[in-house]
Amino acid sequence: MERLEATSELQSRLSSLSFSSFPGITSKQCDNRPLDRLQNTDLSQSCTQSKTQADMDETKEDSGQHAEGNQEAPAEPATGEGSEENNSAGSCQPSAEMKAQMPPLKPPTTWTSAALKELKAKLRMEEDSVVTVYRGDIMTVHVPTVPEAKKVCWEFATDGYDIGFGIYFDWTPVTSRSITVHISESSDDEDEEEELEGPVGNGDVEKGSKNQTNSNLAEILPVYRQDSHLCVNGGSHDFPGEGTYLLKFDNSYSLWRNKTLYYRVYYSA
């Protein structure tokens, strides 16, 4: 009994000590529920922060897309304007110089003659006046201007079939007075088709000369197929200034036939 009484007395003291040391803790905790309020506050803040962060991320992405769009949109016209300005700046000056250096060329004087046999018989007696222009080839005769003459003249004929002929003028200053001949192969050999000695398609010598890459080159007579097997083709052209004539005998359209060419080129006062 004494032990039980001592235990009860000890429990009573401990209880009084606990309530005296932490007064009102039980009532405040039950009434105000600070733990619940703290927990609710933390959750609401975390949810608000998460939503705010998501909104900020979306805003950044939208602003980034708008910024990229704003940067790309003016970039294209700026580049286009710059390229146009650069092209115009790069092309205007050379074109003005070329106009000053390259006056308009007068058309050549051309003629035909029925004295086909006479010309061939005469040219057979001259060295290098009868040549073979092979299928797919272009023969170019370079004739520089000379101070002693005022014009260049030409005559030519062929055996059996026609040939393309045209004249260009290169304004590059003359460095040699020698008349030279150059042979070039056609780039159309890959598209081989059987040639018919008649009208040809677009882009061939039937439609005129091809584009020239030399900026100093001026066209006097476009390259066209001539009936040089039926009559003599001749002509002349007055010197426009210092430069070199390019007389082109074009057999590039022929994939099967070589052409025998009789020609002569000479100067006249």
Side-chain angles (χ1 to χ4, degrees):
M1 290 295 294
E2 293 178 357
R3 182 178 296 177
L4 292 174
E5 290 177 357
T7 302
S8 298
E9 183 178 359
L10 179 60
Q11 290 177 352
S12 299
R13 289 182 179 181
L14 289 173
S15 298
S16 61
L17 180 60
S18 299
F19 285 106
S20 62
S21 300
F22 305 99
I25 187 171
T26 303
S27 60
K28 289 183 181 180
Q29 182 176 351
C30 294
D31 295 339
N32 298 330
R33 302 184 64 82
L35 183 61
D36 294 343
R37 185 170 66 251
L38 179 62
Q39 184 177 2
N40 292 336
T41 303
D42 290 341
L43 289 174
S44 61
Q45 289 178 355
S46 62
C47 293
T48 304
Q49 291 176 356
S50 299
K51 184 177 180 180
T52 304
Q53 184 66 28
D55 294 339
M56 291 176 64
D57 293 340
E58 292 179 358
T59 304
K60 289 180 179 180
E61 292 178 358
D62 294 338
S63 62
Q65 293 177 356
H66 289 304
E68 292 178 357
N70 293 334
Q71 292 176 357
E72 294 177 0
E76 294 181 356
T79 303
E81 292 174 1
S83 61
E84 292 177 359
E85 291 176 0
N86 292 336
N87 291 337
S88 61
S91 60
C92 286
Q93 186 66 21
S95 62
E97 293 179 357
M98 292 306 297
K99 288 181 179 179
Q101 297 177 1
M102 299 171 57
L105 297 178
K106 295 180 180 180
T109 301
T110 59
W111 50 267
T112 59
S113 171
L116 196 65
K117 294 181 179 180
E118 292 80 357
L119 177 68
K120 290 181 179 180
K122 183 178 181 179
L123 293 181
R124 286 191 187 100
M125 306 300 294
E126 298 181 8
E127 186 179 1
D128 298 329
S129 292
V130 182
V131 297
T132 299
V133 183
Y134 292 95
R135 59 183 181 89
D137 285 354
I138 301 173
M139 187 182 84
T140 304
V141 183
H142 295 251
V143 185
T145 58
V146 293
E148 298 82 7
K150 294 182 179 179
K151 65 174 64 176
V152 63
C153 305
W154 61 88
E155 292 177 302
F156 68 93
T158 53
D159 282 341
Y161 304 97
D162 63 9
I163 195 168
F165 178 72
I167 307 174
Y168 297 86
F169 189 79
D170 189 351
W171 289 91
T172 304
V174 175
T175 57
S176 173
R177 293 190 178 185
S178 301
I179 297 177
T180 57
V181 177
H182 297 273
I183 305 295
S184 60
E185 294 182 357
S186 170
S187 60
D188 301 329
D189 291 341
E190 297 178 357
D191 301 328
E192 288 194 1
E193 296 178 358
E194 182 177 359
E195 178 213 6
L196 298 177
E197 296 291 344
V200 294
N202 292 338
D204 209 329
V205 293
E206 190 76 15
K207 298 297 181 181
S209 58
K210 301 177 181 179
N211 294 332
Q212 300 296 326
T213 58
N214 188 349
S215 60
N216 291 335
L217 210 59
E219 187 178 75
I220 297 176
L221 182 68
V223 176
Y224 280 100
R225 292 172 67 169
Q226 307 291 340
D227 292 331
S228 52
H229 60 301
L230 301 178
C231 59
V232 177
N233 286 255
S236 64
H237 190 263
D238 295 335
F239 293 166
E242 182 184 6
T244 303
Y245 285 92
L246 278 66
L247 281 67
K248 290 183 175 292
F249 296 95
D250 193 332
N251 197 32
S252 62
Y253 60 89
S254 182
L255 301 177
W256 302 106
R257 295 187 177 95
N258 302 328
K259 307 294 175 63
T260 301
L261 173 67
Y262 303 78
Y263 81 101
R264 66 173 179 172
V265 179
Y266 55 94
Y267 298 103
S268 178

